[in-house]
Amino acid sequence: MMDSYIYVLVALLPLSAAMVVFQVNPYHALVIRGILGAVAAMVYAVLGAADVSLTEALVGTMLAITLYAVAVRSSMVMRLGVLAEGAIATDSEGNRHFGQLLDDLRAILGKRHMRLELVTYKDQQDLHQALMEKEVHATCTRPEDIDCTTPDAEKQPYHTVTRVQRIYDIIQAELSSPATSITYVSIPEEKHS
């Protein structure tokens, strides 16, 4: 009867493990993974394995969570290449369209717990090269041959190009803003000799 609390502690292990597996938000999963490691360390300590408990607390909880947090933080970002300030929009209407486009992209990415990071380049050539060298996931520019009398130019003052198929699929399906057209480009993989 006195050791019934051990059964409760041991029952927390599969429960917290299942919570980690079924968690959608990667940041919440990190917190739950920390709880899982703490519960495991506590079970080992109660069962008399102090060395295993200490190892689980240090490596399984603190170090693993730190490394996972760095990996999640760096992989949950979409880098959008744009031209330097002033080259994107030359009028207040263009600034309004670009601001709305960025807000829409942030909302779409936010649903997937991602963030949008803008990377500026001085000219169109550098921007295109950054996309080809995989420095950015997508680029957003004004079409070079935009004709102000064309109705399409009024509807879509920006053109977004992405090299990531999944990002293209998400934005194509969910972007309701008429501020941009989106294109997917396939970048060939480099062959190493």
Side-chain angles (χ1 to χ4, degrees):
M1 249 353 219
M2 297 286 271
D3 295 336
S4 61
Y5 69 93
I6 294 175
Y7 296 116
V8 173
L9 285 176
V10 171
L12 288 175
L13 284 171
L15 177 66
S16 55
M19 288 175 64
V20 169
V21 170
F22 294 113
Q23 185 54 246
V24 176
N25 186 328
Y27 298 107
H28 293 167
L30 285 172
V31 172
I32 297 170
R33 173 57 182 93
I35 293 169
L36 173 64
V39 168
M42 191 177 344
V43 168
Y44 293 138
V46 167
L47 295 177
D51 55 340
V52 178
S53 176
L54 182 62
T55 302
E56 177 62 33
L58 293 175
V59 177
T61 304
M62 292 183 357
L63 181 62
I65 297 303
T66 304
L67 294 176
Y68 292 154
V70 169
V72 166
R73 177 78 176 155
S74 64
S75 66
M76 301 296 289
V77 64
M78 179 185 137
R79 293 174 52 97
L80 179 66
V82 295
L83 293 175
E85 192 65 37
I88 283 258
T90 56
D91 57 2
S92 62
E93 185 71 14
N95 282 330
R96 186 180 64 77
H97 283 302
F98 188 66
Q100 181 62 42
L101 175 62
L102 292 181
D103 290 343
D104 291 346
L105 287 174
R106 284 186 179 106
I108 291 168
L109 295 172
K111 292 178 191 175
R112 287 154 184 84
H113 311 289
M114 294 177 68
R115 59 190 168 84
L116 179 67
E117 180 180 302
L118 293 181
V119 182
T120 58
Y121 293 91
K122 63 180 179 183
D123 59 27
Q124 188 74 24
Q125 183 180 3
D126 287 348
L127 189 63
H128 180 71
Q129 184 176 355
L131 185 66
M132 292 299 121
E133 293 179 358
K134 300 181 180 181
E135 292 176 17
V136 294
H137 299 104
T139 61
C140 183
T141 58
R142 283 185 171 265
E144 294 174 354
D145 54 348
I146 196 166
D147 180 9
C148 293
T149 60
T150 308
D152 289 344
E154 188 77 25
K155 289 182 188 173
Q156 298 176 329
Y158 294 100
H159 183 71
T160 303
V161 178
T162 182
R163 63 174 175 79
V164 181
Q165 181 69 46
R166 183 70 180 135
I167 289 176
Y168 173 78
D169 293 340
I170 290 169
I171 294 174
Q172 184 72 19
E174 295 187 28
L175 187 65
S176 60
S177 172
T180 190
S181 60
I182 184 158
T183 306
Y184 169 74
V185 294
S186 179
I187 299 174
E189 295 291 324
E190 293 180 23
K191 294 183 180 179
H192 299 288
S193 308

